[in-house]
């Protein structure tokens, strides 16, 4: 917006402090949002961004400081209080019920009634009106489970608007969108601002910050370390402010020297938890010393492909061979013993045991082997030494190696998983969304580790919804659409635009064996 400082303040956080055991998450943080303004909140993992927004949304109560909405001091005891004050939050992981329609999801908890009955006809009309007013194209009668990720996000926005939100908090809103969907989303955000809404935008994608923000507030170590004007800032200057040092955006990567085939996937068919086919005749090969990137919008079979390769999901038919071993029906432990590291998409569900310590999580894939255990007895001294090395080498921000992993920030939980799976003699690394939710410094570090693993002769199967990440790391790129490989493209021939079109289905699907 222009002349943002002349507009009234709709949200103000003054001296917000929030403590958790062993951690000062917010240290006298201040934030100001004006009417019709987009404020981007930047910071490293564990910098306190989510904590601050959870305070604003009523999920946490601050230990110190105060909140003002439209100039009046407020005290929230729950998110319901924040919603009544005109604050809405769209979480990175959508809060939708898949089997319900769009209209039913939108009014859930705020139902329109006609006497004792739910007035769904009116609900549909109101959803359609909001959709039209703000350019959020969705069908009120569509079931959420049938919608694309981008459409589901629009449903979340309509939910907030239906509850009369004037201040919208958007947490990593573009994490699962295609490039075209990102462009459309930014158009939606601008239309919301033009209609008088105010937006707090949390993201790690610095290019997006420069494209959409009116002002930027940067947190580091729980404190505000500066603000920036996107008109004069650069990605490099924002990254330095976030991390406190210069950051390399494109990690140096020499040419690949592929060796023998490590992973061979042939005519693979896999179903999801409902028994619905999601991987439909995939052919892939990954060789020693190369990174094969799998690009695609989430929900096109990537998760099931990764889980089948890692031994977590049995194929319906087809073959998966790792160094000549047909692993169909193998357990994850047997697959791991072949030298396979697996960074799962859902770190909380499949990567960590949240109640276990950082030290125990760092040896979950090797707990039954020497030197971590001997004759069924844990070698606690070695486990602690291993954990302290991992914490240091992977810059895991934790009060102690004895801290429960579930109490760490999302980014630091991811570092625990990556540290564990990249350690040891890894012949094949299967990695899904390795840097989701990570700050630029952590992304730089993990990208460097993956490239070093490749240069050491390992094969890497990289699955990411981040097209920039696929383009930065891959030696070849396989684009997956509706469970089939639409194309396999050598990296020198791949473009952002071309891959984006293939991800959206604009290309002939080619299930033939990879080139």
């Amino acid at each position: 917006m222009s002349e943002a400082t002349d507009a009234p303040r709709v949200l103000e956080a003054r001296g917000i402090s929030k403590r958790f055991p062993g951690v000062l998450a917010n240290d006298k943080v201040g934030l100001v949002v004006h009417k019709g303004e987009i404020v981007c909140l930047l910071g490293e993992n564990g910098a306190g961004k989510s904590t601050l927004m959870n305070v604003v949304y009523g999920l946490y109560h601050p230990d110190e400081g105060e909140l003002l909405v439209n100039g009046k001091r407020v005290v929230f005891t729950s998110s319901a209080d924040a919603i009544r004050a005109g604050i809405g939050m769209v979480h990175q992981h959508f809060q939708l019920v898949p089997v319900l329609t769009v209209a039913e999801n939108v009014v859930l908890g705020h139902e329109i009634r006609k006497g004792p009955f739910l007035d769904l006809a009116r609900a549909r009309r109101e959803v359609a009106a909001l959709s039209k007013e703000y350019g959020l194209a969705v069908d009120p009668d569509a079931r959420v489970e049938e919608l694309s990720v981008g459409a589901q996000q629009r449903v979340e926005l309509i939910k907030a608007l239906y509850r009369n939100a004037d201040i919208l908090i958007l947490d990593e809103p573009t994490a699962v969108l295609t490039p075209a969907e990102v462009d459309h989303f930014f158009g939606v955000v601008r239309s919301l601002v033009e209609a008088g809404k105010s937006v707090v935008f949390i993201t790690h994608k610095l290019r997006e910050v420069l494209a959409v923000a009116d002002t930027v507030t940067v947190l580091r170590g729980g404190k505000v370390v500066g603000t920036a004007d996107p008109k004069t800032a650069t990605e490099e200057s924002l990254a330095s402010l976030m991390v406190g040092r210069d950051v390399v955006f494109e990690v140096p990567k020499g040419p690949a020297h592929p060796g023998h085939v490590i992973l061979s996937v042939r005519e693979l068919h896999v179903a999801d938890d409902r028994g619905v086919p999601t991987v439909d005749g995939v052919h892939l090969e990954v060789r020693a010393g190369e990174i094969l990137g799998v690009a695609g919008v989430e929900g096109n079979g990537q998760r099931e492909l990764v889980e089948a390769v890692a031994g977590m999901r049995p194929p319906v038919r087809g073959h998966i061979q790792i160094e000549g071993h047909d692993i169909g029906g193998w357990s994850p432990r047997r697959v791991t013993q072949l030298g396979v590291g697996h960074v799962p998409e859902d770190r909380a569900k499949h990567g960590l045991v949240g109640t276990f310590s950082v030290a125990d999580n760092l040896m979950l894939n090797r707990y039954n082997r020497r030197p971590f255990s001997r004759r069924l007895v844990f070698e606690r001294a070695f486990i602690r030494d291993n954990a302290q090395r991992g914490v240091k080498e992977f810059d895991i921000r934790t009060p102690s190696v004895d801290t429960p992993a579930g109490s760490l920030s999302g980014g630091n939980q991811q570092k625990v998983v990556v540290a564990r799976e990249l350690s040891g003699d890894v012949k094949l690394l299967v990695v899904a969304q390795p840097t989701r939710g990570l700050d630029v410094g952590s992304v730089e570090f993990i990208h460097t580790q993956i490239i070093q693993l490749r240069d050491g002769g390992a094969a890497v199967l990289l699955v990411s919804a981040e097209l920039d990440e696929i383009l930065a790391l891959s030696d070849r790129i396989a684009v997956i659409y509706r469970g089939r490989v639409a194309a396999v493209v050598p990296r020198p021939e791949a473009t952002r635009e071309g891959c984006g079109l293939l991800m959206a289905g604009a290309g002939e699907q080619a299930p033939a064996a990879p080139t």
Side-chain angles (χ1 to χ4, degrees), residues 7 17 32 88 107 130 132 191 193 290 292 337 383 389 394 413 437 457 473 478 487 501:
S17 294
V32 174
V107 303
L130 285 169
K132 182 177 180 181
S191 71
V193 168
E290 75 163 350
L292 175 68
Q337 290 170 347
I383 290 170
R389 284 194 301 273
F394 285 80
Q413 290 181 25
L473 295 180
L501 288 171

Side-chain angles (χ1 to χ4, degrees), residues 342 344 346-353 361 364 416-417 420-421:
H342 173 216
D346 189 335
R347 57 180 169 251
K349 185 176 181 180
H350 295 131
L352 296 168
V353 179
N361 273 281
L364 278 182
V416 172
V417 178
R420 180 185 70 229
E421 298 301 322

Side-chain angles (χ1 to χ4, degrees), residues 33 45 75 77 79 88 94 109 137 140 147 168 179 195 272-273 298 316 355 360 379 403 434 449 451 496 508:
V33 182
N45 301 117
V75 177
T77 59
S79 59
F94 303 148
L147 298 179
L168 290 165
D272 65 12
D273 292 338
E298 286 195 63
V316 174
T355 56
D360 285 345
E379 297 286 350
T403 299
Q449 296 299 311
I451 290 169
R496 181 178 177 82
E508 182 179 352

Side-chain angles (χ1 to χ4, degrees), residues 243 245 247-249 251 389-396 414-416 418-419 422 434-435 438-453 469 473:
V243 182
R245 61 175 176 83
V247 175
V248 177
F249 284 90
V251 176
R389 284 194 301 273
V391 164
K392 181 178 180 180
E393 291 175 11
F394 285 80
D395 190 29
I396 300 167
Q414 183 74 351
K415 290 180 187 177
V416 172
V418 171
L422 268 65
T435 60
L438 298 190
D439 59 73
V440 289
S442 300
V443 169
E444 172 197 25
F445 178 80
I446 288 177
H447 283 183
T448 299
Q449 296 299 311
I450 291 173
I451 290 169
Q452 287 180 354
L453 198 67
E469 182 164 64
L473 295 180

Side-chain angles (χ1 to χ4, degrees), residues 221-401:
K223 298 180 180 181
V224 174
V225 294
T227 59
D229 182 350
K231 297 182 181 65
T232 56
T234 64
E235 290 187 39
E236 290 76 14
S237 67
L238 290 176
S240 297
L241 195 57
M242 283 174 61
V243 182
R245 61 175 176 83
D246 291 338
V247 175
V248 177
F249 284 90
E250 292 192 13
V251 176
K253 178 168 76 80
H257 300 287
H260 66 285
V261 173
I262 297 286
L263 172 66
S264 174
V265 175
R266 287 287 181 272
E267 194 57 36
L268 184 65
H269 294 258
V270 187
D272 65 12
D273 292 338
R274 300 167 297 167
V276 176
T278 52
V279 176
D280 182 17
V282 163
H283 294 257
L284 289 175
E285 279 186 355
V286 191
R287 295 178 176 273
E290 75 163 350
I291 300 172
L292 175 68
V294 178
V297 179
E298 286 195 63
N300 279 275
Q302 301 97 311
R303 175 185 300 174
E304 291 77 15
L305 171 64
V306 166
E307 290 180 355
V309 172
M312 296 172 60
R313 184 178 296 273
V316 174
R317 65 178 185 274
H319 299 279
I320 305 171
Q321 290 190 336
I322 297 176
E323 290 208 306
H325 298 277
D326 196 319
I327 66 161
W330 282 30
S331 68
R333 177 185 285 188
R334 286 188 69 191
V335 173
T336 298
Q337 290 170 347
L338 288 177
V340 178
H342 173 216
V343 178
E345 173 184 330
D346 189 335
R347 57 180 169 251
K349 185 176 181 180
H350 295 131
L352 296 168
V353 179
T355 56
F356 283 15
S357 68
V358 169
D360 285 345
N361 273 281
L362 283 169
M363 59 96 177
L364 278 182
N365 58 346
R366 292 169 288 172
Y367 72 90
N368 59 325
R369 287 179 275 168
R370 292 186 178 187
F372 295 93
S373 63
R374 184 172 301 181
R375 294 179 182 174
L376 302 180
V377 177
F378 286 146
E379 297 286 350
R380 282 294 173 189
F382 184 85
I383 290 170
R384 173 171 284 274
D385 289 344
N386 174 73
Q388 289 172 340
R389 284 194 301 273
V391 164
K392 181 178 180 180
E393 291 175 11
F394 285 80
D395 190 29
I396 300 167
R397 309 288 176 88
T398 177
S400 161
V401 297

Side-chain angles (χ1 to χ4, degrees), residues 43-55:
E44 290 185 274
N45 301 117
K49 307 181 300 299
S50 295
T51 298
L52 178 63
M53 289 302 98
N54 284 331
V55 167

Side-chain angles (χ1 to χ4, degrees), residues 141-183:
D141 295 316
R143 292 194 183 278
V144 163
E145 64 187 356
E146 299 168 352
L147 298 179
S148 69
V149 174
Q152 289 184 36
Q153 186 177 67
R154 295 194 289 275
V155 176
E156 287 281 20
L157 281 170
I158 291 173
K159 274 176 58 179
L161 295 169
Y162 174 77
R163 288 156 176 75
N164 299 311
D166 290 317
I167 303 165
L168 290 165
I169 301 168
L170 308 179
D171 187 6
E172 298 285 350
T174 63
V176 295
L177 303 183
T178 68
E181 286 175 324
V182 169
D183 292 340

